[in-house]
Amino acid sequence: MERNRYRIIFLGPPGAGKGTQAERLAEDLKVKKISTGDILREAVAKGTELGQRAKSYMERGELVPDEIILGIIEEAINDEEGFILDGFPRNINQAKALDEMLSSKGLNITHVIFLDVPDEEIIKRIAYRRVCLKCGAVYNLIFNPPKEDEICNNCGSKLVQREDDREEVVRKRLEVYRGSTEALIRIYEERGVLRRINGLGDREEVFRRIREAL
Ligand code: AMP
């Protein structure tokens, strides 16, 4: 089988729209979306061993230890299919581990989509965000409401606010982003794979910008 040519990372602060845009792009490019946050939330909801290990970090808005995350990624990446990574890597150590994992298979990251959104906008978006824990769909009660109040359009499950979308946890997550994740922008920029995308505006507009940048 021919290798898919897209191996993409979505980078950006919490609430930038990574999940929504990654989902859309994955459909468009016919590649798999791997969201470490979704995988972890599902594990927490099901109470699996992974979920039990990750839960307290997530509730505090801290990063889950690298060894747990790298295990998830090793399992999820299939070298022939191409992929979009949403929420990984989150620090330099994870980025290095990803490089090693890929280069041992003769692969590389083809694009890094950096969704740039200012802090004031993030706080606003996150307060109105609701998610479906079953299928991972993301809504915004103002900008992208579900058809039926608090019910997922795709699978009919009840929508919830993420535990870690409470304001004090969001502040912590932003701090972690600044302290650990933001440094990756520079690394991928130097490698020439970074595409800086203005994340403001409606979802269609942002998606069009991403499409043009690829
Ligand atoms: P997200 O949905 O991507 O914002 O992730 C939600 C939470 O899951 C984060 O605040 C972290 O606690 C954890 N998490 C997700 N991805 C990672 C990662 N790559 N490294 C460490 N922790 C992660």
Side-chain angles (χ1 to χ4, degrees):
M1 184 182 159
E2 197 195 333
R3 282 173 167 177
N4 189 296
R5 61 200 178 92
Y6 292 105
R7 287 177 298 279
I8 300 173
I9 292 170
F10 267 72
L11 204 62
K18 298 188 297 293
T20 305
Q21 298 294 342
E23 177 90 44
R24 180 84 203 272
L25 188 63
E27 263 169 42
D28 218 39
L29 301 178
K30 297 183 176 52
V31 298
K32 150 159 108 157
K33 179 187 89 152
I34 303 167
S35 162
T36 43
D38 284 352
I39 293 169
L40 292 169
R41 272 186 292 281
E42 205 194 324
V44 170
K46 285 188 180 153
T48 64
E49 196 194 321
L50 170 65
Q52 286 170 28
R53 290 175 72 193
K55 190 167 190 262
S56 62
Y57 298 99
M58 295 173 76
E59 281 171 352
R60 293 193 298 265
E62 291 170 10
L63 294 184
V64 171
D66 289 348
E67 102 240 13
I68 298 179
I69 298 293
L70 292 172
I72 294 175
I73 292 293
E74 291 259 14
E75 222 172 273
I77 285 184
N78 176 324
D79 36 324
E80 283 174 352
E81 280 177 354
F83 52 77
I84 294 177
L85 296 172
D86 158 29
F88 175 91
R90 280 279 229 285
N91 59 28
I92 290 177
N93 186 45
Q94 292 181 8
K96 278 193 184 144
L98 175 64
D99 280 343
E100 280 162 24
M101 223 179 276
L102 292 177
S103 65
S104 71
K105 297 169 176 174
L107 298 174
N108 59 359
I109 290 296
T110 56
H111 308 81
V112 177
I113 306 290
F114 167 46
L115 285 179
D116 199 1
V117 175
D119 282 9
E120 321 86 75
E121 173 76 10
I122 287 168
I123 305 280
K124 237 189 288 170
R125 285 187 187 182
I126 289 185
Y128 294 108
R129 172 154 74 181
R130 296 294 181 275
V131 298
C132 174
L133 287 180
K134 190 154 175 230
C135 74
V138 184
Y139 300 85
N140 183 292
L141 296 182
I142 294 183
F143 310 117
N144 173 37
K147 291 198 188 96
E148 220 182 305
D149 200 26
E150 307 275 320
I151 300 291
C152 179
N153 293 346
N154 302 338
C155 72
S157 302
K158 178 139 179 52
L159 300 178
V160 296
Q161 179 167 43
R162 283 172 47 170
E163 277 286 323
D164 60 348
D165 277 353
R166 285 175 297 120
E167 198 178 329
E168 68 274 20
V169 187
V170 172
R171 261 197 231 110
K172 175 69 191 171
R173 287 163 59 207
L174 269 170
E175 200 184 300
V176 169
Y177 173 75
R178 300 266 177 266
S180 305
T181 312
E182 213 171 36
L184 300 178
I185 295 170
R186 184 85 192 278
I187 292 178
Y188 291 118
E189 200 159 39
E190 279 168 4
R191 230 184 263 182
V193 291
L194 193 90
R195 304 287 183 273
R196 192 180 290 261
I197 306 286
N198 173 7
L200 286 178
D202 72 48
R203 295 182 315 149
E204 292 306 315
E205 174 68 18
V206 175
F207 186 69
R208 203 179 48 71
R209 290 179 199 140
I210 293 172
R211 254 348 228 124
E212 277 169 11
L214 288 179

